[in-house]
Amino acid sequence: MPPSQPASPPSRRRRTLRFGAGPEWSFAQLGVTGVATAGVVVYLGALHLAVGGFDGVWWLLALVPVALMPWSGSAAPLALWAVLLIGWFVLTPEGTYSWWALPAAAGAVAAHAAHALSASSPPAGSFTRATVQRWIRHCLVALCAAGAVVVAVAALSSRDLTIGALGLVVGLAGVAAGLAWVRTSPPSSTD
Amino acid sequence: MNGRRLRATVSRTLGAWETTAAHQRAIALVGLGAVLAALGRRPDLLVIVAPIAVAAVWGQLARPRATVEATARLSDVTLREGQAVALHVVTEPVVPDAHGVVTLARVPFVDRQSGSGIALLDDGTATLGVRSTRWGRRRVGTVSVTLTSAWGAYRVGPEELPDLDTATLPVPAAFDASAPTPHPRGIVGLNRSNRPGSGSEFNTIRPFHPGDRLRRISWPVSLRTGTLHVTSTFTDEDAHVILLVDAFSDLGPREGIDGRPTSLDVTVRAAGAMSEHFLRSNDRLTLRTVGAAEVPALGTGSGTNHLRRVLDTLALITPASERRDTGEHALRGVDPNALCLVLSPLIDQTMVSLAHTLAARGMTVVVVDTFPDHLVAGTGDVYQSLAWRMRLLSREAQVSSLRLRGVPVVPWRGPGSLDQVLRDIARRSSAPRLSRR
């Protein structure tokens, strides 16, 4: 019988928070939810400045990410952001362009990444520093695409941007083709 | 799970990668934004959805293609109560830019050292600490593994791995006995016998006989008497001890090593302590259990390897799993000269009957009372107190009947619990006795 006991593995207790009878939430998850909320706030703020003010009810949407915290891996965030996109479409005048779309894009991609990251871990789970840094890096790279579109829009702003019927058909067909590619083309296995 | 081989390593393929809600959201938002931008001539909407479009395309292009296999391994499957062990989880091949999470389900008597039982995979490996808090064979909680690819676009899992097993040996309570074990008969023990021979206990000084060892010569007596004399000793012998463990009752809340013991906790830990004591004294030991199913019969043995076997057998006990057990199989083939120690809280009548049976056979029987005092001390419920009073009165009558038959009943108190009773037995065996002619 070996008399000595091996040393126990290192244990690292994570601080968690429990709301009522619900599950435990790690501070990392709460932080990610905070980022998602901040993304919505930035988006609404940009929209507010772009249109010069709107009904205060819209600001209630900033609370939705907190309410959706347990369902970040569901279709609920999609519904939220669909409402926000349609809100931009409805509130801004047709045929106009606002530079406030750039911070709104930053808010959108930050909230999208926060929801995705939150869904990848259980409520009490956390994220390594490397994971967080990688996601921030990816968000910044993705945000560069918005910059590229802004540059393109600025270059074309002096021209007539009216889309003809043919252009509309071609554009919608492109969107449909892209969606079909994403839906039906699984990458071939390298095994 | 008794009798089954313990599983220290398990593996499972995690299955196919599937799209997540995040990926579908990105695609849908890009489609919606593009359509709205085209219909309403809003280039700012294109700007807004452009980063999400990058996320969607990136997530699609970075879709993992490999089939991942997860392996969970316990660094040690045989533990002592309260001992912690590392649970290693490895996924192969390592998926670049993937976020991996390992969760360990909560099960009774297994503490998860990371609190919520969640660990993050770092380069495909994660380590969780688990601590077993009660003796017995049990499963470590189910391990599940989840991997998420870049941008949270594709996910595999959560996939549950097959359960891992551990055998937690009881931590023997402190026990020591200074009194010799009665009826020594063997040749390798430390107990003084009544026969002269090679040993350490002084017997007498007698004249030298051929064959006596020269180092035994007593030179002072030899010089004084003029003839060679030697110091003779009693031979040291080993005794045979039978432990009869009552597995019928497990009274009290099961709180593990960190809380108050149940009656079976006390019984098992006392059995472990006595086994350790007697086997370290080179005595032979037999362990028999009554009232537990699927506990293999353990033969007589001695030494530290047998101690390990005894503790393994104790860990197999499932309380009251064989209520029809009359104990006859436990008494089959017992050595009539053995010291029989019955460890029981004396709640089930079967163990009292067995003690009577052994005493009637002329065996030396000692009943060790393992009833924990805290069961009746802190009872706040008046009906429960009354029930205990009635039960304890009945128990007192059973104890008295045993004592009337000459079977000593001693409460388990750890070190020295058996000293007085073993000395009494030794004195009784050397005293003159009446015999029928």
Side-chain angles (χ1 to χ4, degrees):
Chain A
M1 196 72 232
S4 61
Q5 297 187 352
S8 59
S11 64
R12 207 182 76 182
R13 288 217 173 256
R14 295 191 178 90
R15 292 166 61 187
T16 56
L17 203 63
R18 188 188 290 274
F19 302 102
E24 287 182 315
W25 288 93
S26 68
F27 279 57
Q29 282 280 18
L30 295 176
V32 166
T33 305
V35 171
T37 307
V40 176
V41 170
V42 168
Y43 182 92
L44 288 173
L47 178 58
H48 187 271
L49 293 170
V51 301
F54 51 64
D55 195 346
V57 175
W58 284 92
W59 288 104
L60 290 177
L61 288 172
L63 300 176
V64 176
V66 179
L68 292 183
M69 196 165 61
W71 300 283
S72 58
S74 70
L78 169 62
L80 167 68
W81 280 95
V83 168
L84 288 170
L85 278 183
I86 291 170
W88 189 285
F89 178 79
V90 170
L91 294 176
T92 54
E94 185 179 355
T96 61
Y97 173 76
S98 170
W99 292 97
W100 288 109
L102 194 57
V109 74
H112 169 72
H115 284 305
L117 186 57
S118 174
S120 69
S121 192
S126 62
F127 315 101
T128 60
R129 186 182 296 273
T131 301
V132 174
Q133 288 173 348
R134 186 171 64 239
W135 278 76
I136 291 174
R137 209 166 47 241
H138 289 183
C139 284
L140 292 175
V141 171
L143 198 55
C144 291
V149 175
V150 166
V151 171
V153 168
L156 297 172
S157 59
S158 58
R159 304 182 183 180
D160 181 17
L161 290 176
T162 307
I163 301 174
L166 182 62
L168 187 61
V169 170
V170 170
L172 291 177
V175 170
L179 291 174
W181 170 71
V182 166
R183 176 87 177 81
T184 61
S185 73
S188 58
S189 173
T190 56
D191 297 336
Chain B
M1 66 180 294
N2 290 351
R4 201 157 53 75
R5 199 170 165 214
L6 298 173
R7 280 191 295 196
T9 305
V10 292
S11 296
R12 177 162 286 174
T13 304
L14 295 186
W17 292 84
E18 294 176 350
T19 55
T20 62
H23 193 46
Q24 293 165 358
R25 178 173 68 242
I27 294 166
L29 287 177
V30 170
L32 177 68
V35 169
L36 291 178
L39 291 177
R41 290 182 294 133
R42 305 279 169 73
D44 40 7
L45 276 175
L46 281 181
V47 173
I48 291 170
V49 298
I52 301 178
V54 170
V57 174
W58 191 335
Q60 184 69 21
L61 293 176
R63 175 183 180 179
R65 300 167 184 179
T67 302
V68 180
E69 184 179 35
T71 304
R73 179 177 60 82
L74 278 171
S75 59
D76 196 356
V77 288
T78 305
L79 322 173
R80 287 296 189 109
E81 284 180 289
Q83 184 184 338
V85 67
L87 168 62
H88 303 285
V89 180
V90 179
T91 56
E92 287 179 325
V94 177
V95 180
D97 285 351
H99 176 61
V101 179
V102 177
T103 58
L104 178 66
R106 183 195 299 272
V107 291
F109 308 122
V110 175
D111 274 354
R112 303 172 300 181
Q113 301 252 294
S114 62
S116 50
I118 298 172
L120 303 176
L121 283 163
D122 187 12
D123 281 339
T125 61
T127 303
L128 282 157
V130 291
R131 177 173 173 264
S132 181
T133 59
R134 193 167 188 246
W135 57 272
R137 282 196 175 193
R138 64 178 49 87
R139 289 182 172 141
V140 179
T142 304
V143 176
S144 56
V145 181
T146 310
L147 291 177
T148 314
S149 69
W151 283 103
Y154 284 87
R155 183 177 59 208
V156 62
E159 187 71 37
E160 294 182 352
L161 305 187
D163 287 337
L164 293 160
D165 305 320
T166 59
T168 305
L169 307 182
V171 171
F175 177 71
D176 193 14
S178 56
T181 314
H183 314 310
R185 287 203 312 154
I187 54 174
V188 294
L190 301 177
N191 302 296
R192 200 208 80 175
S193 72
N194 293 327
R195 289 200 302 274
S198 177
S200 55
E201 192 79 16
F202 176 76
N203 180 11
T204 185
I205 294 177
R206 59 170 175 74
F208 180 85
H209 297 311
D212 284 338
R213 294 191 173 192
L214 294 181
R215 65 185 176 88
R216 292 284 187 186
I217 293 175
S218 173
W219 292 109
V221 177
S222 300
L223 286 173
R224 194 169 63 244
T225 58
T227 56
L228 278 178
H229 278 70
V230 292
T231 304
S232 74
T233 56
F234 288 110
T235 184
D236 288 338
E237 296 184 331
D238 57 291
H240 186 186
V241 178
I242 296 175
L243 292 181
L244 207 58
V245 171
D246 176 3
F248 278 115
S249 314
D250 191 13
L251 307 171
R254 299 175 184 179
E255 298 174 352
I257 191 78
D258 303 321
R260 294 168 299 174
T262 66
S263 62
L264 193 57
D265 287 342
V266 177
T267 304
V268 165
R269 289 169 191 157
M274 289 179 178
S275 305
E276 195 167 7
H277 169 75
F278 289 117
L279 289 172
R280 292 240 161 105
S281 306
N282 290 334
D283 289 332
R284 282 164 292 132
L285 188 117
T286 304
L287 176 73
R288 300 282 166 89
T289 57
V290 185
E294 298 182 22
V295 178
L298 186 63
T300 305
S302 60
T304 51
N305 285 338
H306 192 61
L307 173 61
R308 177 58 182 269
R309 284 193 288 271
V310 167
L311 294 175
D312 277 339
T313 306
L314 288 172
L316 287 174
I317 291 176
T318 307
S321 49
E322 183 52 274
R323 286 209 168 271
R324 292 169 299 175
D325 192 357
T326 58
E328 286 179 9
H329 76 282
L331 303 187
R332 204 168 292 152
V334 295
D335 182 359
N337 288 315
L339 166 67
C340 191
L341 299 172
V342 180
L343 288 90
S344 170
L346 296 175
I347 293 294
D348 195 278
Q349 178 62 34
T350 308
M351 295 307 289
V352 181
S353 303
L354 281 181
H356 278 292
T357 306
L358 289 167
R361 289 185 186 180
M363 293 184 65
T364 305
V365 184
V366 177
V367 175
V368 181
D369 182 1
T370 55
F371 186 84
D373 294 334
H374 68 81
L375 287 184
V376 290
T379 307
D381 186 4
V382 63
Y383 296 107
Q384 198 174 347
S385 299
L386 188 61
W388 270 120
R389 274 182 64 193
M390 293 167 61
R391 189 66 194 86
L392 290 179
L393 282 173
S394 162
R395 184 173 174 275
E396 196 60 38
Q398 292 169 347
V399 171
S400 298
S401 72
L402 284 169
R403 284 189 174 133
L404 281 175
R405 189 181 272 277
V407 177
V409 180
V410 292
W412 172 251
R413 293 281 181 266
S417 294
L418 297 181
D419 280 354
Q420 187 59 45
V421 72
L422 291 182
R423 277 196 201 96
D424 288 347
I425 289 171
R427 202 176 300 130
R428 190 172 67 186
S429 61
S430 61
R433 64 180 74 176
L434 288 173
S435 61
R436 194 173 291 174
R437 287 176 184 272

